[in-house]
Amino acid sequence: MQADLFKISRGEKRWIVIIIVFIALLWCLPIYSVITNSLKFAGFSNYTYVLSHPVQNVPFPSFFVNSFICAIGSSSLCVFISAMSGFAFSKIRFTGHKFLFNIVLMCLAVSGPIMLVPFYYILKAIGLYNTYLAVILPEVVMTLPFGVLMMRNFFDGLPNEMMESANLDGANMWKVFSRVYLPLAKPALINLCVLQIMWSFQDFLLPLMFLTSPKLYTATVAVNAFKGVYGVTAANLGRYNAALVLIGLPSVLVFVFAQKYIVNGITTGAIKD
């Protein structure tokens, strides 16, 4: 009876395929445009030119290094805090835990740009402005509500009997978390880590606001520097678009190699008895 509820006709399948293909084409159109424009005038030599010529006295690969440092730093800190917080909200009953979790959920509704001004004054006050931490810490703060919700939902799908058995064996709460539940949360942890790395690589607003030194620019912020160096002219159009393609590669590569973990992390715990 339940299987009949999800049965769809051939006509419905056809329309679903048409809609998916249409959406995919809309998504691929700008990608096709930037790739074709990057090959104009000089072909693949545009890529070698971008990689070999400094921008504002900074080698192009340095922008990738800066993006990598921010992505690894924010993802590591976000995963660590989210895992502990999600476990606490799921398995530990303490005074006000429902109230605190509701506050976390409310933070999901807070728009990122609203927090830019408070971030600016706080970073200035503690001396972290124009450092890697000026990007890493705000990225973690803005992603934590999602990370905590995701890890809490995952830990809710794991039985409480494992914690009771570990307590009977004399394990404290940290050992229960790190040795019993954390290894089982590997799919969700990898999923959150990959998503945070992708978001960090694509982040433009925070590095633009909190980094002023060209040596610290991430790849996304370097786009503005490319405009000043190359200019939007016919001769430099290929080089500018080649730089844009190179900037987008890290996120694409991360997704290609980690898509299995992303799918597993999303579907794990989706069906419960």
Side-chain angles (χ1 to χ4, degrees), residues 144-206:
L144 267 180
F146 169 79
V148 172
L149 174 63
M150 175 181 171
M151 296 307 303
R152 187 253 194 180
N153 289 341
F154 183 88
F155 285 121
D156 278 346
L158 299 179
N160 296 330
E161 287 77 11
M162 295 190 301
M163 182 169 62
E164 297 172 359
S165 299
N167 288 333
L168 291 176
D169 292 336
N172 56 29
M173 192 58 65
W174 173 254
K175 289 184 178 180
V176 171
F177 166 70
S178 60
R179 298 184 182 182
V180 179
Y181 282 91
L182 197 61
L184 297 176
K186 182 180 176 181
L189 295 174
I190 295 178
N191 184 21
L192 180 59
C193 181
V194 171
L195 291 175
Q196 178 64 19
I197 289 176
M198 292 173 58
W199 292 335
S200 180
F201 268 121
Q202 297 168 358
D203 187 15
F204 173 75
L205 190 58
L206 293 179

Side-chain angles (χ1 to χ4, degrees), residues 8-21:
I8 57 178
S9 64
R10 288 186 177 181
E12 291 173 330
K13 289 181 180 179
R14 189 179 299 112
W15 276 108
I16 291 174
V17 172
I18 292 174
I19 293 173
I20 292 175
V21 171

Side-chain angles (χ1 to χ4, degrees), residues 55 222-232 236 240:
V55 178
V223 173
N224 286 336
F226 298 148
K227 282 186 177 180
V229 174
Y230 299 144
V232 187
N236 289 323
Y240 183 68

Side-chain angles (χ1 to χ4, degrees), residues 2-219:
Q2 291 182 348
D4 294 337
L5 295 176
F6 297 97
K7 190 175 181 179
I8 57 178
S9 64
R10 288 186 177 181
E12 291 173 330
K13 289 181 180 179
R14 189 179 299 112
W15 276 108
I16 291 174
V17 172
I18 292 174
I19 293 173
I20 292 175
V21 171
F22 177 73
I23 295 174
L25 290 175
L26 289 178
W27 186 83
C28 291
L29 185 61
I31 298 177
Y32 171 79
S33 176
V34 72
I35 292 176
T36 53
N37 285 328
S38 70
L39 299 175
K40 286 185 176 180
F41 300 106
F44 286 101
S45 61
N46 289 327
Y47 291 90
T48 57
Y49 181 91
V50 170
L51 291 172
S52 59
H53 285 71
V55 178
Q56 295 185 358
N57 297 321
V58 180
F60 187 84
S62 297
F63 299 127
F64 284 110
V65 174
N66 295 336
S67 296
F68 183 78
I69 292 174
C70 292
I72 295 300
S74 63
S75 62
S76 301
L77 193 57
C78 180
V79 169
F80 180 70
I81 298 176
S82 297
M84 290 195 301
S85 302
F87 175 79
F89 282 123
S90 176
K91 301 302 180 185
I92 303 176
R93 293 294 176 263
F94 53 92
T95 303
H97 78 279
K98 290 185 178 180
F99 174 75
L100 291 176
F101 186 70
N102 287 332
I103 292 179
V104 172
L105 295 181
M106 290 173 60
C107 291
L108 288 170
V110 178
S111 176
I114 296 177
M115 304 171 66
L116 290 179
V117 174
F119 279 148
Y120 174 82
Y121 285 107
I122 293 173
L123 294 171
K124 277 281 191 180
I126 61 180
L128 293 180
Y129 187 77
N130 194 35
T131 64
Y132 290 125
L133 289 176
V135 176
I136 293 174
L137 294 180
E139 285 182 348
V140 172
V141 171
M142 295 174 68
T143 312
L144 267 180
F146 169 79
V148 172
L149 174 63
M150 175 181 171
M151 296 307 303
R152 187 253 194 180
N153 289 341
F154 183 88
F155 285 121
D156 278 346
L158 299 179
N160 296 330
E161 287 77 11
M162 295 190 301
M163 182 169 62
E164 297 172 359
S165 299
N167 288 333
L168 291 176
D169 292 336
N172 56 29
M173 192 58 65
W174 173 254
K175 289 184 178 180
V176 171
F177 166 70
S178 60
R179 298 184 182 182
V180 179
Y181 282 91
L182 197 61
L184 297 176
K186 182 180 176 181
L189 295 174
I190 295 178
N191 184 21
L192 180 59
C193 181
V194 171
L195 291 175
Q196 178 64 19
I197 289 176
M198 292 173 58
W199 292 335
S200 180
F201 268 121
Q202 297 168 358
D203 187 15
F204 173 75
L205 190 58
L206 293 179
L208 178 67
M209 293 293 297
F210 303 140
L211 297 178
T212 58
S213 173
K215 293 183 179 180
L216 298 176
Y217 281 173
T218 60

